[in-house]
Every structure is written in C-alpha cells, then in structure tokens.
Amino acid sequence: MKLLKTIVVALDFDDTASDVLAAASKLAKKFTSGLVLLHVIEAPEQADEEHGGLHGTVLSRLEDMRAQLAAEGIATAEMLCVHGKASVEIVNVANRLDANLTLLGTR
C-alpha cells in the first residue's frame, strides 16, 4: 500500500500557488502519488458562470499547472473546480477521493 496514494492540492492562484505546487511535485515524485488539483469558487453570484466565464478560466489555469507537472513527470489524476465554501469543499473532496494528504497555501 502506498503511503501517499492521493494528494489533493487546493489552489487559489495567489502568490503561494507556485510554492504549493512545488511541494506537491516533490512529494508526488518521492511517493509516486497521484495529484488532484482543486480550486473552489466561493462567491454565489459566480456560480452562474459555470458553463464558461470564471469556471472555464479556472480550468484553463489548472490545465496549465497540470501541463507543468506532466513536464516534470508527475501524473495529475484529476482537475476539479467546485462551488461552495472553500474550507468545506476542500474537506469534502479530500474525503470523497480518500486522499492521504491535502496541501494548500495561505493568504
């Protein structure tokens, strides 16, 4: 059994995102873990933009990060953009995916 099979990487695209991604990459390499890139959209009025707008922009940024990780030989299992309260949704996703570790930056 892998020690760290799944790592959820919660990203809000602030100035700590590159550090969080670098730490996730290092751990994924060491433990051959799969990474799940996650962003939570909190504002309820932004939920209407799910079929484009902000949701599409978030997925595009996550895809760029996935490509960066792939270039380093890191497999990204999934990219998720969910709507809700960040603290609740991060825990929900980690539980649903049976993640062994969740990484996030600070503001």
Side-chain angles (χ1 to χ4, degrees), residues 19-30:
D19 292 336
V20 172
L21 206 57
S25 174
K26 186 182 247 185
L27 287 168
K29 284 179 185 175
K30 181 171 182 159

Side-chain angles (χ1 to χ4, degrees), residues 20-62:
V20 172
L21 206 57
S25 174
K26 186 182 247 185
L27 287 168
K29 284 179 185 175
K30 181 171 182 159
F31 295 101
T32 61
S33 307
L35 297 180
V36 176
L37 304 180
L38 169 67
H39 179 81
V40 179
I41 297 174
E42 286 196 318
E45 64 274 6
Q46 294 169 335
D48 292 337
E49 299 182 84
E50 185 174 9
H51 298 293
L54 182 59
H55 192 88
T57 300
V58 167
L59 289 176
S60 177
R61 292 196 63 189
L62 291 175

Side-chain angles (χ1 to χ4, degrees), residues 6 8 11-12 27 29 32 45 52 55-56 62 68 72 83 89-90 92 94 96 98 106:
T6 303
V8 171
L11 299 157
D12 64 0
L27 287 168
K29 284 179 185 175
T32 61
E45 64 274 6
H55 192 88
L62 291 175
Q68 176 187 340
E72 298 173 22
H83 299 268
E89 295 305 322
I90 292 167
N92 286 343
R96 181 172 48 88
D98 200 23
T106 61

